[in-house]
Amino acid sequence: GPKVLQIPSHQIIDMGQMVTLNCDPVSNHLYFYWYKQILGQQMEFLVNFYNGKVMEKSKLFKDQFSVERPDGSYFTLKIQPTALEDSAVYFCASSLGDRGPGNQAPLFGEGTRLSVL
Amino acid sequence: QQKVQQSPESLTVSEGAMASLNCTFSDGTSNNFRWYRQHSAKGLEVLVSIFSDGEKEEGRFTAHLNRANLHVSLHIREPQPSDSAVYLCAVSIMNYNQGKLIFGQGTKLSIKP
């Protein structure tokens, strides 16, 4: 079936550096999401993106975070600069629609584990 | 702010016995409920979605929703060792940004052969 792919699966960087996490969503999906899961804690919504714009972001989506999907390529999450508390697994998800009954559940990738040293 | 709580934290069930997982939510306007599972170091796999009171079956997985009691459950019929995983309850609002899911903390299910 259709899959959301995330690259890389693991990234290690030094605090203060910039990092870009890449997501290849399902080809005909229109809505894109990032979630953050700190080890042992609940998965939490960060942001969702549609038609080239951020639709909604949570308080976890700090000023150092940005998202974009230039020309239908990867959907990316950029963190600049990174902080120790950014260490987590980041999950990308995509869906065809965002409302109404019968809408399929968002499909999730396998996550990128980010380790900030 | 929506709170989603799952119980139990962990559950061990013998192969073939029914496994039952619970999820409570705090926002009574919620009307979009998904059960996902997560195998170790893997992505989330959606199991069943339910939008109105009653039950919804997808293969061996059945969800029960009682919105008045702010409760949704998942029942797994004839579980197998390959069903061992973390099960996540996810809640959202149907007609507003359905993909903004509020997750519970998960139930770790282990199936004994």
Side-chain angles (χ1 to χ4, degrees), chain A residues 13-19 64 79-86 115-117:
Chain A
I13 59 167
D14 290 325
M15 183 177 64
Q17 284 191 314
M18 182 194 77
V19 68
Q64 298 90 327
I79 308 175
Q80 181 179 25
T82 51
L84 293 176
E85 61 264 26
D86 296 330
S115 299
V116 181
L117 307 179

Side-chain angles (χ1 to χ4, degrees), chain A residues 37-43 91, chain B residues 6-12 19 21-22 34-47 61 74 76 80-90 103-111:
Chain A
Q37 186 176 36
I38 294 173
L39 186 65
Q41 298 186 22
Q42 276 159 278
M43 186 168 310
F91 289 92
Chain B
Q6 290 184 241
S7 63
E9 245 181 62
S10 63
L11 177 66
T12 299
L21 289 66
N22 297 298
R34 318 274 191 185
W35 282 96
Y36 287 88
R37 75 178 171 189
Q38 185 177 26
H39 286 104
S40 182
K42 294 287 184 187
L44 275 65
E45 172 192 5
V46 63
L47 300 172
F61 302 96
L74 177 70
I76 307 173
Q80 297 145 22
S82 58
D83 292 320
S84 297
V86 175
Y87 287 74
L88 299 171
C89 170
F103 283 89
Q105 80 280 25
T107 291
K108 185 174 181 180
L109 177 66
S110 300
I111 306 299

